[in-house]
Amino acid sequence: ATGVVGLRLVPELIRMGHMVAGMARSRNKLQMVRDLGAEPVLCDVYDLYGIKRSVAEYNPEIIISQLTDLPDDPNELAEYTVRNNRIRTVGVQNLLDAARNSGSPRMLVQSVAWDLPGSGRESVRQMEKSVLDYGGTVLRYGRLYGQGTFYETEKPPSPRISVEIAAKRTIEYLNSSGEIIEIVEKN
């Protein structure tokens, strides 16, 4: 709930009348989730028991995963490859297991709209397959730009999308299931 898309998506969902629980991995981000208007849930996606318990307690109609593990400094991206691959595979799988355990009917999961190099490509493929096998929807975002992203003052190469527009367009797909949707700017 506290990433660049989540910070914009949570208030949109609340404005639409949805009750939102926002997951954060650290206590210092719980107030940020409250300030967005959501019920904060302290949980680490790598704690399978904890994530299953949290999802079962909340009993959501939909789970929207915006999980990433990225650095604040884009120059450190290569150093975070293993961490981001892990959150895509292990983290998303744990969330899928929690959804399955609780009977949550719908799932939207963030992905990327371009081919990642090296091991990133395989982790994205594995994650997307798991989501589709569950019957969830994969949202392939273009490279995000705008406040809080790696591209605050300039547009990245295509495929790309403003983080503000990406959050708004995510709302369009709340009732989707079993498909891959690209959220990118039209050139």
Side-chain angles (χ1 to χ4, degrees):
T2 60
V4 296
V5 176
L7 288 172
R8 292 150 173 93
L9 182 58
V10 169
E12 289 290 325
L13 291 166
I14 290 168
R15 270 193 288 280
M16 293 175 64
H18 296 283
M19 292 177 55
V20 178
M23 188 176 94
R25 290 185 272 180
S26 61
R27 287 194 185 283
N28 63 342
K29 295 209 174 176
L30 294 179
Q31 188 57 49
M32 184 186 305
V33 175
R34 275 187 205 93
D35 292 345
L36 293 171
E39 179 180 329
V41 176
L42 179 63
C43 191
D44 187 326
V45 74
Y46 298 120
D47 173 5
L48 181 57
Y49 173 77
I51 195 89
K52 280 184 173 181
R53 185 185 69 242
S54 295
V55 170
E57 285 174 7
Y58 200 76
N59 194 26
E61 292 178 21
I62 185 171
I63 295 173
I64 303 173
S65 169
Q66 295 292 330
L67 292 172
T68 60
D69 196 342
L70 298 169
D72 292 331
D73 181 349
N75 295 318
E76 297 175 358
L77 273 171
E79 298 166 31
Y80 276 70
T81 298
V82 171
R83 293 169 62 159
N84 209 29
N85 289 349
R86 181 173 181 241
I87 207 162
R88 282 190 177 112
T89 54
V90 177
V92 170
Q93 187 59 56
N94 285 349
L95 201 51
L96 287 165
D97 288 347
R100 206 173 276 112
N101 185 63
S102 73
S104 180
R106 290 178 288 153
M107 183 97 156
L108 298 178
V109 177
Q110 181 190 108
S111 190
V112 295
W114 67 97
D115 284 332
L116 293 176
S119 61
R121 181 179 299 118
E122 179 56 26
S123 71
V124 166
R125 188 202 64 74
Q126 183 181 338
M127 176 195 68
E128 289 183 353
K129 182 180 182 322
S130 294
V131 171
L132 293 172
D133 287 350
Y134 177 77
T137 295
V138 173
L139 301 175
R140 288 183 177 165
Y141 295 103
R143 291 175 182 87
L144 299 171
Y145 67 90
Q147 185 179 3
T149 72
F150 293 149
Y151 301 96
E152 286 193 342
T153 59
E154 60 189 46
K155 289 185 178 181
S158 290
R160 64 179 170 249
I161 188 81
S162 153
V163 68
E164 301 289 339
I165 294 171
K168 287 183 188 334
R169 293 214 25 225
T170 298
I171 300 292
E172 299 171 25
Y173 303 109
L174 294 179
N175 293 315
S176 299
S177 63
E179 57 187 312
I180 294 175
I181 298 167
E182 287 202 351
I183 299 179
V184 300
E185 289 180 352
K186 303 221 188 303
N187 291 332

